[in-house]
Amino acid sequence: MQTTQIAENHIRITRTLFDEGMRQTESGAYKKAIRKMALVLFFIYLAVAVWLLYTGGSLIFLLGESVFLGALLFWLTVMLPNTRRKSKYKTMTQGEHQIPERTVKFFQDSLSVLSGTGNETLIPYKEIQNWKETKHLYILGCENKKYVLLDKDGFINGDFQKIKELIFS
């Protein structure tokens, strides 16, 4: 049940802001898996290098392996996450070239996210698990891996400190 409005935040989710939020909320499991894979690949590379040096093998082969390993790690750490973010942003914009806008209204027991298309989502505060801060955003982490982006400069009334006290006290 919505009662008196406590605060309101308006955000235009540009691709830059979206990427900033996604980088902050990306799964730690993916990053951890990449680090493990890089470590395994490094030890395999080291073993091949030692074997090549021991047997007097071709250093050109080692150079080729170095280039391949570098390209693979670049793709896994930079290109693949960027492609995933781009795809999610395109899904959010529904293929249109308009910048999505959201208005988040905070009430006593819940918040309401109103999209530019008029769709409204109510989120009870009990579903909010944590919050994060980036250079331009506050990010509320909810159940089921949902996130609410708040523009630091987008508060029309109220402020994040008041919201934080309301939600997490």
Side-chain angles (χ1 to χ4, degrees):
M1 180 178 144
Q2 297 178 359
T3 56
T4 307
Q5 183 175 314
I6 297 168
E8 183 174 334
N9 185 277
H10 182 76
I11 182 170
R12 294 185 77 230
I13 307 172
T14 62
R15 176 73 198 272
T16 305
L17 281 181
F18 184 79
D19 286 348
E20 182 178 321
M22 286 294 292
R23 277 189 206 96
Q24 187 67 31
T25 60
E26 281 179 339
S27 170
Y30 179 77
K31 293 175 185 177
K32 190 174 182 179
I34 294 300
R35 280 193 294 267
K36 283 182 181 180
M37 187 183 309
L39 191 61
V40 168
L41 290 172
F42 174 75
F43 282 118
I44 291 171
Y45 173 81
L46 194 60
V48 168
V50 168
W51 179 75
L52 280 173
L53 292 174
Y54 178 73
T55 60
S58 171
L59 293 180
I60 295 200
F61 177 78
L62 187 60
L63 178 64
E65 289 296 315
S66 301
V67 170
F68 175 76
L69 183 61
L72 178 64
L73 290 175
F74 178 76
W75 183 78
L76 287 171
T77 58
V78 176
M79 299 303 291
L80 183 61
N82 190 40
T83 302
R84 292 171 65 204
R85 286 192 297 271
K86 184 176 181 180
S87 174
K88 286 183 180 185
Y89 187 74
K90 187 174 182 179
T91 300
M92 185 176 73
T93 61
Q94 299 170 346
E96 298 178 10
H97 296 291
Q98 296 178 342
I99 296 174
E101 295 186 28
R102 303 285 187 270
T103 300
V104 183
K105 296 180 180 180
F106 295 89
F107 300 97
Q108 191 63 37
D109 298 323
S110 64
L111 64 88
S112 165
V113 180
L114 183 64
S115 72
T117 60
N119 294 336
E120 183 177 24
T121 304
L122 291 174
I123 301 173
Y125 292 148
K126 65 183 178 183
E127 291 183 12
I128 298 175
Q129 299 172 334
N130 58 37
W131 69 278
K132 296 178 182 188
E133 182 176 0
T134 68
K135 183 176 180 181
H136 300 102
L137 300 170
Y138 296 113
I139 304 167
L140 299 176
C142 306
E143 293 177 355
N144 300 322
K145 295 186 178 181
K146 291 182 186 176
Y147 297 96
V148 178
L149 301 179
L150 303 172
D151 189 339
K152 285 184 174 182
D153 298 326
F155 279 95
I156 296 169
N157 63 31
D159 60 20
F160 189 70
Q161 188 62 33
K162 185 185 291 185
I163 299 307
K164 201 167 57 170
E165 290 170 5
L166 179 67
I167 297 173
F168 298 107
S169 60

